[in-house]
C-alpha cells in the first residue's frame, strides 16, 4: 500500500544560502504531479533534498513517506523505501558497466537482514532478460550493457539510461529532475513513453516531474501541477495550469503572488 | 619444472663468500663467463654502499639474515608444450644455459647493467630462478606463456631472471606473476627481466605482484623494441611491504611503439614505488602510458616517471597519464613526472589527477540503493578495471580482482 509523500514547511540551505523557504507539498500515489518553475526557483534543490544529497542542509521541516520522516535516512535507505531520483546531470562511473551497476542496485534492494546475498540475488538469466526487454523498449542499443555507466554517453543516452534504471528498480515514488533538458523531440518522446509505460504497469506509483517547460507535459500528462517560485510552492492546480504557464510565462504568477503579499 | 632440494641454499648474506658462489656454480656446470660475471657482481655488492633512494626507505630492511637459494627452485612454468614444434623455447633460464648457451650468453645482462646498484649486483651474483623464452621469426603464439614465482618463508629470497627474445615478425604474450602468502618477518625478491622485441614483432608483457606481507620487492625490467615493433606492458603492483621497480622501455627502431598501463594499490603500511622510463630513439616512435594508483590507510605510493625523447627521435608521439585516488587522509602518493625533449618535431602530452572519491559519484550510487561501503568498492574496482581487464589470462584477472577487493 503506497502512501503520500508529504513535504512540510521544508527549509533548505546550500552553502549557507537559503534556497527552499518553506515548501509544503503532497504527492499522492497513483498520480503524476508536475512542479514547474523558472530557473533558480529551487526545483532541483527540492529533488536533491528529497533524495538526501549531503550538500543540501535541511534547517527545518519534515518529509514523510511510508510512515517515516525520510530526512533521517541516508540516500540508500530512501531508495530502498521506494524513492527514486532521475538525475538532471547523471554522473559517470568509470569501470562499472551498466549491467553490473544495475544488478548491484537491484540486489541491494532485494537484500534482507539475516539472509545471504546469494539467497536474495536476482537470478542472472531473469535479470538479463528483463534488462534486454527494457532496453529495447527505450531504444537503447544492446552494446550499452557492457559500457561503463554514463562514460562518454550523450545527454540523450544518459537520460534514457536514467529511465532504464527507473523501470528496472520500479520505485513507488519517482522524482524526475528536468529529465527533458537536453533532449531532442524524438528522445523526449521515447523517454516520455518509457515513463508512461512504467506508470501503466505500476499504477500505484507516484511521479514527481520537475520541469521548466511545458514541453515534456505534452507527452506525460500530469494529474496535478504546482508552481514553485523563490523557494516556495505558490500555486496548485490541474493540468490546465501548465498550459496557462506556457501561454503567459511565469511573470503573471510572480505578479499575482507579489500583489497577494503586498 | 626442476624442483631442487628446498634446503639447497647459500649461507646467509652476511656469511656468504665468493668461494661459495663459485663452488655452487661449478657444481651446476655453469660456463666460466657466467661464473666470472657472478663474482664481479658479488664483489660489487659486497664492497658497495646501499643506494640512496629518496622515496624507497630500506632502513628497516635487514639484508644480513637473508638466505638465497643455491639452485632454481621457485619457478613454475605454464605453457602448451606443443609450441616447441614451432621452435618456441620456454624453459627455466638455468636449463637454457645448458640447452642454448650461445643465445643466453648473447642476451643475458645486455639490457640491464648488473652494476646499476647494489641490488642489481646482488641479483647478477645470485640469480637461479627465472625463465628463458625464445620465439623464432614470424611465429605467432596465441596462448599466454606464464611464469609464477613464489617465496616460502621468512628470510628467504628469490632472484629470478627472465630473458625473453622475440625475433622479427613474431608475437607472444608473456606473464610473470609474483605471489606468496603473508610472511612473518622479512623476505626479499629481486627479479630482473630483459625483453628483446625484434623488428615488426609484438610482445604483450604482464607483471603482477601480489606478494604477501613482509616481502621487499626490488625489481628491474628492460624492454627494447626494434623497428615497427610493439610492446604492451600491463602491471599490477599490489602486494609486499615495499616495492622499488625501475622499468625502462627503449624504442630503438623507427616506428616502435609502447602502450603501458599499470595499477598500484598501497594500503596498510606499504610503500610501493614504480619508476618507469621511456626512451624514444627511433623516428616516429610512439608511447602511451596510463598509471593508476589507489592509496589507503597509511599506504605510500610513488610514480617517478620519465619520458626521454632523444635528438634522433623526430616525429615522436608521447602521452602520459597518471591518476591517483586517496581513500584515507593519512595515505600519500607522490607523482614526479619528467619529460626531457632533445628533438624538435615532437608531440608530448601529460595529464594528471589526484583526489578523493567523488562525492557526486557516491551520492548517485547511494540513490540507487547501493550501500556506501559497496559503492566505494565499486568505484575503486571500477577505477582499476580498464587495466585489470587487459590482463591476458582469466584466472589471473580473477586472482587480481580478489586481491584488490581484499584491500579495499
Amino acid at each position: 500500500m503506497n502512501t503520500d509523500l508529504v513535504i512540510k514547511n521544508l527549509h533548505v540551505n546550500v552553502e549557507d544560502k537559503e534556497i527552499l523557504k518553506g515548501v509544503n507539498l503532497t504527492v499522492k500515489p497513483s498520480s503524476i504531479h508536475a512542479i514547474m518553475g523558472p530557473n533558480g526557483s529551487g526545483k532541483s534543490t527540492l529533488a536533491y533534498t528529497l533524495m538526501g544529497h549531503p550538500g543540501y542542509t535541511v534547517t527545518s521541516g519534515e518529509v514523510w513517506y511510508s510512515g517515516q520522516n525520510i530526512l533521517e535516512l541516508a540516500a540508500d535507505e530512501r531508495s530502498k523505501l521506494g524513492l527514486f531520483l532521475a538525475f538532471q546531470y547523471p554522473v559517470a562511473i568509470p569501470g562499472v558497466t551498466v549491467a553490473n551497476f544495475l544488478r548491484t542496485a537491484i540486489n541491494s534492494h532485494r537484500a534482507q537482514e539475516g539472509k545471504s546475498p546469494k539467497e536474495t540475488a536476482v537470478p542472472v538469466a531473469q535479470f538479463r532478460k528483463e534488462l534486454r526487454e527494457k532496453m529495447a523498449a527505450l531504444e537503447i542499443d544492446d552494446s550499452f550493457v557492457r559500457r561503463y555507466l554514463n562514460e562518454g554517453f550523450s545527454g540523450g543516452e544518459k537520460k534514457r539510461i536514467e529511465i532504464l534504471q527507473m523501470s528496472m528498480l520500479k520505485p513507488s515514488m519517482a522524482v524526475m529532475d528536468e529529465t527533458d533538458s537536453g533532449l531532442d523531440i524524438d528522445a523526449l518522446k521515447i523517454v516520455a513513453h518509457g515513463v508512461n509505460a512504467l506508470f501503466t504497469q505500476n499504477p500505484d506509483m507516484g511521479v514527481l516531474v520537475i520541469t521548466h517547460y511545458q514541453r515534456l507535459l505534452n507527452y506525460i500528462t500530469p494529474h496535478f501541477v504546482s508552481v514553485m517560485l523563490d523557494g516556495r510552492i505558490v500555486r496548485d492546480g490541474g493540468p490546465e495550469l501548465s498550459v496557462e504557464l506556457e501561454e503567459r510565462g511565469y511573470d503573471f504568477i510572480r505578479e499575482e503572488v507579489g500583489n497577494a503579499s503586498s | 619444472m626442476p624442483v631442487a632440494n628446498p634446503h639447497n641454499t647459500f649461507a646467509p648474506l652476511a656469511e656468504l663468500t665468493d668461494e661459495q658462489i663459485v663452488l655452487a656454480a661449478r657444481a651446476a656446470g655453469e660456463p666460466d663467463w657466467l661464473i666470472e660475471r657472478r663474482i664481479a657482481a658479488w664483489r660489487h655488492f659486497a664492497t658497495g654502499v646501499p643506494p640512496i633512494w629518496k622515496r624507497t626507505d630500506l632502513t628497516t630492511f635487514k639484508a644480513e639474515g637473508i638466505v638465497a637459494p643455491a639452485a632454481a627452485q621457485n619457478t613454475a612454468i605454464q605453457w602448451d608444450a606443443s609450441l616447441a614444434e614451432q621452435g618456441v623455447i620456454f624453459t627455466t633460464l638455468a636449463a637454457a644455459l645448458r640447452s642454448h648457451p650461445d643465445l643466453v650468453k648473447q642476451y643475458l645482462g645486455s639490457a640491464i647493467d648488473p652494476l646499476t646498484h647494489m641490488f642489481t649486483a646482488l641479483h647478477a651474483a645470485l640469480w637461479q630462478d627465472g625463465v628463458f623464452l625464445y620465439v623464432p621469426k614470424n611465429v605467432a603464439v596465441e596462448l599466454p606463456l606464464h611464469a609464477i614465482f613464489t617465496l616460502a618463508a621468512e628470510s628467504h629470497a628469490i632472484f629470478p631472471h627472465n630473458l625473453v627474445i622475440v625475433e622479427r615478425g613474431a608475437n607472444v604474450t608473456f606473464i610473470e606473476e609474483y605471489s606468496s602468502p603473508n610472511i612473518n618477518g622479512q623476505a626479499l625478491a629481486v627479479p630482473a627481466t630483459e625483453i628483446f622485441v625484434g623488428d615488426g614483432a609484438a610482445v604483450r608483457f604482464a607483471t603482477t605482484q601480489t606478494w604477501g606481507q613482509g616481502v621487499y620487492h626490488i625489481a628491474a625490467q628492460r624492454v627494447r623494441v626494434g623497428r615497427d615493433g610493439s610492446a604492451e606492458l600491463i602491471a599490477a603492483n599490489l602486494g609486499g611491504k615495499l616495492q622499488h621497480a625501475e622499468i625502462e622501455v627503449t624504442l630503438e627502431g623507427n616506428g616502435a611503439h609502447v602502450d603501458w598501463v599499470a595499477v598500484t594499490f598501497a594500503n596498510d603500511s606499504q610503500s610501493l614505488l614504480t619508476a618507469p622510463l621511456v626512451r624514444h630513439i627511433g623516428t616516429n616512435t610512439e608511447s602511451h602510458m596510463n598509471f593508476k594508483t589507489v592509496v589507503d590507510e597509511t599506504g605510500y605510493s610513488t610514480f617517478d616517471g620519465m619520458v626521454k625523447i632523444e635528438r634522433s627521435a623526430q616525429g615522436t608521439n608521447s602521452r602520459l597519464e597518471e591518476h591517483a585516488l586517496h581513500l584515507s587522509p593519512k595515505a600519500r602518493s607522490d607523482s614526479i613526472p619528467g619529460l626531457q625533449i632533445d628533438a624538435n618535431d615532437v608531440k608530448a602530452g601529460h595529464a594528471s589527477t589526484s583526489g578523493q572519491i567523488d562525492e557526486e559519484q557516491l551520492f548517485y550510487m547511494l540513490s540507487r540503493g547501493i550501500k556506501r561501503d559497496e559503492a566505494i568498492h565499486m568505484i575503486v574496482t571500477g577505477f582499476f578495471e580498464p587495466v585489470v581487464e587487459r590482463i591476458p589470462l582469466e584466472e589471473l584477472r580473477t586472482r587480481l580482482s580478489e586481491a584488490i577487493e581484499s584491500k579495499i
Side-chain angles (χ1 to χ4, degrees), chain A residues 114-156:
Chain A
K115 283 194 179 173
S116 80
K118 274 192 180 136
E119 233 177 305
T120 56
V122 59
V124 174
Q126 179 191 324
F127 168 75
R128 282 196 189 140
K129 182 167 176 286
E130 189 181 350
L131 181 59
R132 303 252 180 223
E133 284 169 7
K134 299 218 148 121
M135 285 172 70
L138 288 161
E139 299 183 25
I140 300 169
D141 190 84
D142 267 0
S143 62
F144 276 76
V145 168
R146 287 176 305 277
R147 286 185 62 182
Y148 297 150
L149 183 65
N150 292 327
E151 196 174 64
F153 291 13
S154 72

Side-chain angles (χ1 to χ4, degrees), chain B residues 60-76:
Chain B
T60 57
F61 180 66
K62 303 277 173 276
E64 305 79 33
I66 292 291
V67 175
Q73 52 187 249
N74 285 306
T75 305

